[in-house]
Amino acid sequence: MVLKTEKSRIDAVDALRGFAVMAILLVHSLEHFIFPVYPASSPAWLAALDEGVFAVVFALFAGKAYAIFALLFGFTFHLQYASRQSRGEDFGVRFLWRLLLLAGFATLNAAFFPAGDVLLLFSLVGVVLFAVRRLNDRTVLALALLFLVQPVEWYHCFRALADPGFAPPDLGVGAMYGEVAAYTKAGDFWQFVAGNVTLGQKASLLWAVNAGRYSQTAGLFLLGLLLGRRGLFSDSADNARFWVRTLIVGAVAFVPLQALHGLFGEATAARMAATVLDMWQKLAFTAVLAASFVLLYRTARFRRVTDGLRFYGRMSLTNYIAQSVVGALIFFPFGLGLASRCGYALSLVIGVAVFVLQAAFCRWWLRGHQRQGPLESLWHRLTWLGAK
């Protein structure tokens, strides 16, 4: 049912990770990789199609694909930690070095992605996994729930209720992204790269503060760690019941949260509450997506249909960074400059085409050459640099 291709690899996890990276690609394609330039006008039928495509893709994937990616980051940490622990070793310090390497990959990706890169956030927040690696499951779960409650946003909310003149610090993110948009439109490649790895990364990290992403990412990492400790991706009747319950709870929670989060005004307290509810409704739908995928993957037909995602997920780092490079070359002025000619529908077609080509490459690479993708192999080798 949940098939293993090699020791320590779980097909369902690889396929779910591939699904998340594919979804990120589709969202970024519609956003022109954070280059919001679109056709000045379109026929009425195409405008309606574009609107529908945007609504469906963002409703399904925006904020949810990243959450699955974060969840599986914590799960992977468990696999690595447990593997070394079985040999009487502590993976903790080596993991910190691995996070530092991840910051390097984040810089590489950010060079082509003007909004800054989530991998840098992962490299910073990943320290929480190091900190909790020896704590028991109950403590880890309690910490995960604390992070997912979004305590900072609730503090700001209640502070604003008590003091109507209170406002969270203005981090200047909007002005930073204005500068990013300006040099991106200018079309100077080297200015683009230099700006992205400095100003773009800074803006991304500060945007994550406003969006509550630090706390949510930490919570998702810890939930992924617990999924690994409890072996909940392995095939058993108990695990199937767990994912069914997860699906039901996520679906039931999503409906009221979706209805509530858009009802708030512009006052500070209202905006803080709306931010939390928006994150909670996305988290609930993430549970629906992840649980549905895992349950469907237990069927032979679904495994056959999604077989390409298994290879795609095994090369997630390579694919994620390659997406940014290809997207920049397609949409940005220093490349083909197609952003101004592509509405949402055509951008989705381009995203799907990039995915199909990447998936074909992954299948060829893994079957004919390596057990890992090029960047995965490099990350692995650098992680164990100097190890006996």
Side-chain angles (χ1 to χ4, degrees):
M1 305 286 274
V2 177
L3 304 177
K4 293 186 178 181
T5 52
E6 58 183 73
K7 185 178 179 181
S8 81
R9 295 215 71 94
I10 302 174
D11 281 2
V13 173
D14 285 333
L16 181 59
R17 185 182 289 109
F19 170 76
V21 177
M22 177 200 70
I24 290 171
L25 167 62
L26 299 183
V27 171
H28 284 170
S29 295
L30 263 64
E31 295 176 322
H32 293 170
F33 291 81
I34 320 301
F35 184 52
V37 174
Y38 297 92
S41 62
S42 300
W45 67 269
L46 183 55
L49 178 61
D50 284 340
E51 184 177 341
V53 166
F54 179 88
V56 170
V57 171
F58 270 69
L60 288 175
F61 302 137
K64 295 88 172 178
Y66 133 82
I68 294 174
F69 205 34
L71 195 72
L72 295 181
F73 188 86
F75 175 81
T76 301
F77 168 77
H78 162 73
L79 293 183
Q80 295 166 332
Y81 185 81
S83 174
R84 306 311 292 189
Q85 190 178 43
S86 68
R87 306 179 191 182
E89 303 173 15
D90 183 2
F91 181 64
V93 175
R94 186 68 62 171
F95 178 67
L96 294 178
W97 166 240
R98 186 173 172 84
L99 291 178
L100 185 60
L101 293 171
L102 183 62
F105 288 114
T107 303
L108 172 62
N109 191 63
F112 296 89
F113 193 73
D117 184 50
V118 73
L119 294 181
L120 184 58
L121 176 66
F122 280 22
S123 71
L124 296 175
V125 179
V127 176
V128 74
L129 290 167
F130 170 83
V132 307
R133 68 194 189 282
R134 294 173 181 167
L135 299 182
N136 61 49
D137 288 358
R138 287 187 178 182
T139 304
V140 173
L141 178 59
L143 289 172
L145 295 177
L146 176 62
F147 284 127
L148 293 173
V149 165
Q150 305 294 145
V152 174
E153 285 67 36
W154 283 122
Y155 166 76
H156 287 155
C157 177
F158 291 117
R159 175 80 182 275
L161 287 174
D163 177 9
F166 169 77
D170 182 1
L171 302 178
V173 175
M176 292 181 198
Y177 279 135
E179 292 184 47
V180 171
Y183 68 64
T184 302
K185 290 179 181 179
D188 185 309
F189 176 73
W190 294 113
Q191 182 187 22
F192 173 80
V193 170
N196 287 351
V197 300
T198 53
L199 181 63
Q201 290 282 60
K202 179 181 178 181
S204 176
L205 292 177
L206 293 178
W207 173 86
V209 173
N210 289 338
R213 281 285 180 92
Y214 284 87
S215 183
Q216 188 191 52
T217 301
L220 290 167
F221 282 178
L222 297 187
L223 288 185
L225 171 61
L226 290 173
L227 288 176
R229 286 183 176 183
R230 295 300 181 95
L232 289 169
F233 283 108
S234 62
D235 178 34
S236 72
D238 286 342
N239 287 349
R241 285 192 289 270
F242 166 81
W243 288 111
V244 169
R245 290 194 298 268
T246 300
L247 173 61
I248 294 171
V249 171
V252 170
F254 172 75
V255 176
L257 289 171
Q258 171 69 10
L260 285 173
H261 93 275
L263 299 179
F264 293 82
E266 292 300 318
T268 299
R271 286 190 291 105
M272 292 298 101
T275 296
V276 174
L277 291 176
D278 180 61
M279 300 192 79
W280 286 355
Q281 64 92 6
K282 288 177 179 175
L283 183 61
F285 198 76
T286 297
V288 172
L289 285 177
S292 299
F293 192 96
V294 172
L295 290 168
L296 287 170
Y297 204 80
R298 294 169 59 85
T299 67
R301 173 176 290 186
F302 188 78
R303 288 200 302 273
R304 285 195 301 271
V305 171
T306 61
D307 188 56
L309 290 175
R310 178 165 54 96
F311 297 97
Y312 198 70
R314 287 177 62 183
M315 291 176 52
S316 56
L317 180 63
T318 298
N319 289 323
Y320 181 72
I321 293 179
Q323 290 171 13
S324 298
V325 176
V326 173
L329 293 175
I330 291 173
F331 293 112
F332 293 171
F334 60 77
L336 297 176
L338 295 183
S340 62
R341 303 180 184 181
C342 296
Y344 294 127
L346 183 53
S347 298
L348 178 63
V349 172
I350 291 173
V352 171
V354 172
F355 164 72
V356 170
L357 292 174
Q358 282 190 311
F361 174 77
C362 292
R363 187 185 294 270
W364 170 80
W365 178 271
L366 292 172
R367 282 184 168 172
H369 294 75
Q370 304 288 338
R371 295 174 62 186
Q372 295 177 303
L375 294 185
E376 287 77 10
S377 179
L378 176 61
W379 196 15
H380 177 80
R381 291 182 182 183
L382 292 176
T383 295
W384 299 105
L385 194 65
K388 294 180 182 180

